Amino acid sequence: MRTANVRTIVIWTLVALVGAAGWSVLALARGEDVSAAWMVAAALGSYAIGYRFYSKFIAYKVLKVDATRATPAERLNNGIDFHPTDRRVLLGHHFAAIAGAGPLVGPVLAAQMGYLPGTVWIIAGVIFAGAVQDMVVLFFSTRRDGRSLGQMAREEIGPFGGAAALIAAFAIMIILLGVLALVIVNALAASPWGTFSIAMTIPIALLMGFYLRVLRPGRVAEVSLIGVGLLLLALVAGRWVAESSWAGAFTLAPSTLVVWLVAYGFIASILPVWMLLAPRDYLSTFMKIGTIALLALGVVIALPTLKMDPVTDFASRGDGPVFAGSLFPFVFITIACGALSGFHSLISSGTTPKMIQKETQVRMIGYGSMLMESSVAIMALVAASIIDPGLYFAMNAPAGAIGTTVENASQVVTGWGYSISPAELAQAAKNVEEATLLSRTGGAPTLAVGVSEIFSKVTGGGLRAFWYHFAIMFEALFILTALDAGTRVGRFMLQDMLGNVHRPFRNISWKPGLVLTSAIVCALWGYFLWVGVHEPLGGINQLFPIFGISNQLLAAVALAVCTTLLVKSGRLKWAWITGIPLVWDATVTLTASYQKVFSSDPKVGFFKQRSVFQDAIDDGKVLPPAKSMDDMHTVVTNSTVDGVLTAVLALLIVVVIADALRVCVRHLRRPALSTLSEAPYVESKIQAPAGLVPTREEREEARDAVAPTGV
């Protein structure tokens, strides 16, 4: 025993030293080349320490997870929404569902401020805020029959604050789904390789679902090998299709993709979770984690240098061409996922608590999945920081700022202090077989260039274009898995809201309610997407500017609910675990909301932007990004809507936090008045490990238990 303890101490000391060495180099190195490998070392060392010690402390000391307590998946199993799911499959589903556009796009855009601010926020934020939120929400939802975040707020905080939370959460969810869908459409439009490969994941997932449910129950390893093999074949075949006569069938216009996405979202929302949603998300996780792991390995092998400054001048001036605003609060808003994301709380109180086998698995699935997503964000930041800064700004600055020619772009970017020649800009596009890389905003193309840069150093420069297009397709697959799970969660949220008015909706697997609410959710985000695709300044494009703020405001709701539940359940001394992240997130998001509403800078403040464009209309002028007087009126409308929505959402979150504080104070003064909506204890009959690898004690328990028939 003593030898094992010594070995453990040595191992974790080495892990801590690796992380500390990475942080030291990133923080102290100035005026010299810094390898991206140090960023990877800082991240992996920190993640390992956080998971091993902090998450275990929260799970077993604070939450006191109970392996003997039956979960909703076991007690309410109906094979549609409630279904005990193998922890490995559920880990894949949960990770795929939470890892949408945010961890890929946000860090790329935040690189405008330099690589250091984003690195600090992504790593520290996930360990102390994001992963904590995901795990604690998952735990409390599991204890409450898989209730949605808004419904938990209504039951635990009260009807007033709960109503605000329900409305805010559902409205933000529709915005998030619309934005995710728009990113997918932009990535897949006119891309037969990506469209074919992603379409093939659906029949592969159906096969895996029936394999585990009917043909070979419990054989996760077998179905994993089959699924991964077929996925790799689909990826290779996608390129064959793109170069064949079939390419036209899979080269879809944006409007066609909208129809297919809405149809897929509806079907995925109403089918049993075991049939399509869970196996497809599990399948995509292999590609996601595999690609990120290979990317990290490529960084270690190629040792690319971080070319972006640690902190740029834009961080203090707040006049960056990628997005306007100072480092505080906008870096923490731009990196909407990877550190802290309100969207995750909807998954943690949506599909996952209805599928988890044991309470003890909330640590691996809630905290562990978020660390996995954070690693994606770090690799995205690495990819953006190793390319030439001049190319980075030429790709991410709007055409209105740099023009449409490489000569003009070179001149403007050089004026910002990042020199790049017209020939270098043209060559960069030629290397990845693109006509131009200028103003390829949104973050995804920049990430693809960074990925191709790293992989081509390992496999050879001749494959640079292949890796670029592979990365574009990879990003679309990454985001689609968040769209299907998010649509189902949106359905749960709407059912919870309607269940307060009409009781049958409380049964989330009630067929009429299931179909009706799925159709409503798909129609809402589908409408914004359709308009956005056909009108460059309308639809979901109108709501895109408030994506980051709305996501982080939702995180404030989740942390407020968690803090309230910790207090009401007798865990007052541990309320700081979610209380401190709540104070930080509320400070950041409300500051950002205030600036977006009231700032006198038209690049930041919505109402100031409205005033500037309205004055231009009165003078008969057309300002970019508008191209006509009709566009000018659209910008005025968009600015007004965004400003009002930002103010309303911020006000709703203030109401939720204030009401939560009232409930906590009342509980401390008169505990007898407090009630908890926790489901009664029922002993679990399921034997399942808490982590990916069973411990010796868990293996012994499994041997002693009588295995259920058919397993």
Side-chain angles (χ1 to χ4, degrees):
M1 182 64 69
R2 180 175 300 174
T3 303
N5 284 338
V6 169
R7 184 170 65 249
T8 299
I9 292 172
V10 170
I11 290 173
W12 286 105
T13 300
L14 290 174
V15 170
L17 289 174
V18 168
W23 281 117
S24 298
V25 173
L26 293 176
L28 301 177
R30 293 293 182 272
E32 57 189 270
D33 291 342
V34 177
S35 171
W38 289 115
M39 191 185 294
V40 175
L44 295 181
S46 301
Y47 296 152
I49 295 294
Y51 184 79
R52 171 61 180 81
F53 298 101
Y54 194 49
S55 72
K56 187 173 183 180
F57 160 73
I58 295 173
Y60 291 97
K61 183 72 174 179
V62 179
L63 301 179
K64 297 182 179 178
V65 292
D66 187 353
T68 70
R69 189 185 188 104
T71 64
E74 181 178 357
R75 291 185 291 102
L76 307 175
N77 182 11
N78 60 13
I80 299 176
D81 295 309
F82 293 92
H83 178 66
T85 304
D86 185 280
R87 69 200 184 282
R88 292 161 291 186
V89 176
L90 187 57
L91 176 67
H93 157 73
H94 187 81
F95 168 70
I98 66 173
L104 295 171
V105 175
V108 172
L109 302 181
Q112 167 184 268
M113 302 295 192
Y115 65 77
L116 194 55
T119 300
V120 173
W121 170 232
I122 290 170
I123 298 175
V126 73
I127 291 172
F128 297 110
V132 174
Q133 171 206 256
D134 293 12
M135 177 171 65
V136 177
V137 169
L138 177 57
F139 171 79
F140 282 125
S141 180
T142 301
R143 282 279 176 100
R144 286 159 178 76
D145 290 340
R147 288 278 192 272
S148 69
L149 176 67
Q151 188 64 21
M152 283 196 294
R154 186 179 186 278
E155 293 173 353
E156 301 293 351
I157 295 177
F160 187 61
L166 279 167
I167 295 170
F170 186 71
I172 291 170
M173 185 61 158
I174 297 301
I175 294 172
L176 299 182
L177 289 174
V179 170
L180 291 174
L182 181 64
V183 176
I184 296 168
V185 169
N186 290 338
L188 293 184
S191 174
W193 181 11
T195 302
F196 174 84
S197 299
I198 289 174
M200 287 301 100
T201 63
I202 297 175
I204 296 171
L206 289 170
L207 171 63
M208 293 173 67
F210 280 99
Y211 193 96
L212 278 177
R213 176 82 172 187
V214 180
L215 301 177
R216 300 275 285 175
R219 305 292 183 176
V220 177
E222 289 181 16
V223 81
S224 299
L225 290 174
I226 293 171
V228 171
L230 291 174
L231 176 62
L232 293 175
L233 179 61
L235 292 175
V236 174
R239 196 180 193 194
W240 297 339
V241 168
E243 297 171 352
S244 73
S245 58
W246 289 10
F250 292 94
T251 304
L252 304 181
S255 56
T256 306
L257 282 169
V258 171
V259 175
W260 280 111
L261 282 178
V262 171
Y264 170 74
F266 176 76
I267 294 170
S269 178
I270 64 176
L271 286 180
V273 286
W274 60 265
M275 188 180 294
L276 176 61
L277 188 68
R280 190 186 176 284
D281 289 353
Y282 176 62
L283 176 67
S284 70
T285 295
F286 283 100
M287 182 179 172
K288 291 180 176 183
I289 292 299
T291 301
I292 295 302
L294 288 175
L295 200 55
L297 183 62
V299 169
V300 173
I301 294 173
L303 298 176
T305 299
L306 295 170
K307 296 179 181 178
M308 185 64 74
D309 296 329
V311 181
T312 67
D313 292 339
F314 297 124
S316 57
R317 296 206 310 258
D319 59 350
V322 179
F323 63 91
S326 56
L327 190 154
F328 179 88
F330 289 105
V331 158
F332 309 100
I333 297 298
T334 303
I335 302 179
C337 298
L340 174 64
S341 170
F343 176 74
H344 296 187
S345 67
L346 303 182
I347 304 298
S348 292
S349 61
T351 53
T352 306
K354 300 173 181 65
M355 301 162 69
I356 195 167
Q357 292 175 314
K358 309 290 285 185
E359 273 190 8
T360 47
Q361 294 171 355
V362 301
R363 178 187 174 215
M364 175 188 70
I365 294 171
Y367 200 97
S369 290
M370 184 55 188
L371 291 184
M372 290 160 61
E373 174 169 323
S374 185
S375 69
V376 175
I378 283 293
M379 295 314 302
L381 186 57
V382 167
S385 301
I386 64 166
I387 66 175
D388 188 290
L391 176 60
Y392 169 86
F393 285 106
M395 291 185 67
N396 289 281
I402 63 171
T404 57
T405 66
V406 291
E407 290 78 15
N408 198 65
S410 171
Q411 183 179 357
V412 173
V413 172
T414 300
W416 292 335
Y418 299 97
S419 177
I420 187 168
S421 69
E424 289 172 324
L425 286 172
Q427 186 61 45
K430 185 178 179 181
N431 288 341
V432 295
E433 298 179 6
E434 289 282 348
T436 181
L437 289 177
L438 299 183
S439 299
R440 297 295 299 273
T441 56
T446 304
L447 174 61
V449 169
V451 169
S452 68
E453 180 80 13
I454 294 171
F455 281 160
S456 64
K457 287 186 177 180
V458 178
T459 62
L463 291 175
R464 189 185 297 267
F466 170 84
W467 289 123
Y468 173 85
H469 291 283
F470 169 83
I472 292 291
M473 187 272 298
F474 161 74
E475 292 173 68
L477 175 63
F478 217 108
I479 298 164
L480 183 59
T481 53
L483 182 68
D484 52 18
T487 301
R488 196 181 195 96
V489 171
R491 187 251 287 181
F492 292 154
M493 295 166 65
L494 185 56
Q495 286 174 291
D496 278 343
M497 292 172 66
L498 295 177
N500 295 317
V501 180
H502 188 53
R503 290 188 64 86
F505 280 101
R506 294 187 180 184
N507 177 8
I508 61 171
S509 299
W510 179 50
K511 293 290 179 63
L514 179 155
V515 173
L516 176 63
T517 51
S518 294
I520 291 173
V521 170
C522 289
L524 286 172
W525 65 256
Y527 165 77
F528 286 114
L529 177 62
W530 178 267
V531 176
V533 164
H534 290 84
E535 298 180 19
L537 296 176
I540 198 58
N541 297 302
Q542 180 185 56
L543 302 177
F544 199 94
I546 64 173
F547 170 76
I549 285 180
S550 60
N551 186 47
Q552 300 303 68
L553 286 172
L554 186 57
V557 173
L559 291 167
V561 171
C562 289
T563 305
T564 303
L565 284 170
L566 287 173
V567 172
K568 290 178 65 177
S569 61
R571 300 174 173 92
L572 174 62
K573 67 178 180 179
W574 305 121
W576 58 268
I577 288 171
T578 55
I580 293 176
L582 169 60
V583 172
W584 167 256
D585 183 55
T587 302
V588 168
T589 51
L590 293 178
T591 300
S593 299
Y594 181 86
Q595 291 187 19
K596 295 299 287 185
V597 173
F598 296 110
S599 175
S600 59
D601 183 350
K603 294 182 179 179
V604 177
F606 289 128
F607 289 132
K608 182 62 177 179
Q609 182 184 64
R610 179 195 183 284
S611 175
V612 168
F613 275 76
Q614 185 60 56
D615 290 344
I617 290 174
D618 295 339
D619 294 337
K621 298 178 181 178
V622 176
L623 304 178
K627 297 179 180 178
S628 65
M629 196 55 69
D630 286 341
D631 285 350
M632 291 290 290
H633 287 285
T634 301
V635 171
V636 169
T637 301
N638 290 355
S639 301
T640 305
V641 170
D642 288 341
V644 170
L645 272 178
T646 300
V648 169
L649 290 174
L651 181 60
L652 287 172
I653 270 57
V654 169
V655 169
V656 173
I657 294 174
D659 212 18
L661 181 61
R662 176 190 62 81
V663 170
C664 291
V665 172
R666 186 190 67 179
H667 173 80
L668 296 178
R669 290 177 175 176
R670 303 181 67 182
L673 295 179
S674 296
T675 58
L676 288 171
S677 58
E678 190 173 284
Y681 175 90
V682 175
E683 186 177 359
S684 176
K685 305 298 182 183
I686 292 178
Q687 292 287 337
L692 280 178
V693 180
T695 63
R696 184 178 62 183
E697 293 79 8
E698 289 171 338
R699 288 195 297 269
E700 291 174 353
E701 289 177 4
R703 283 195 297 267
D704 294 340
V706 178
T709 304
V711 177

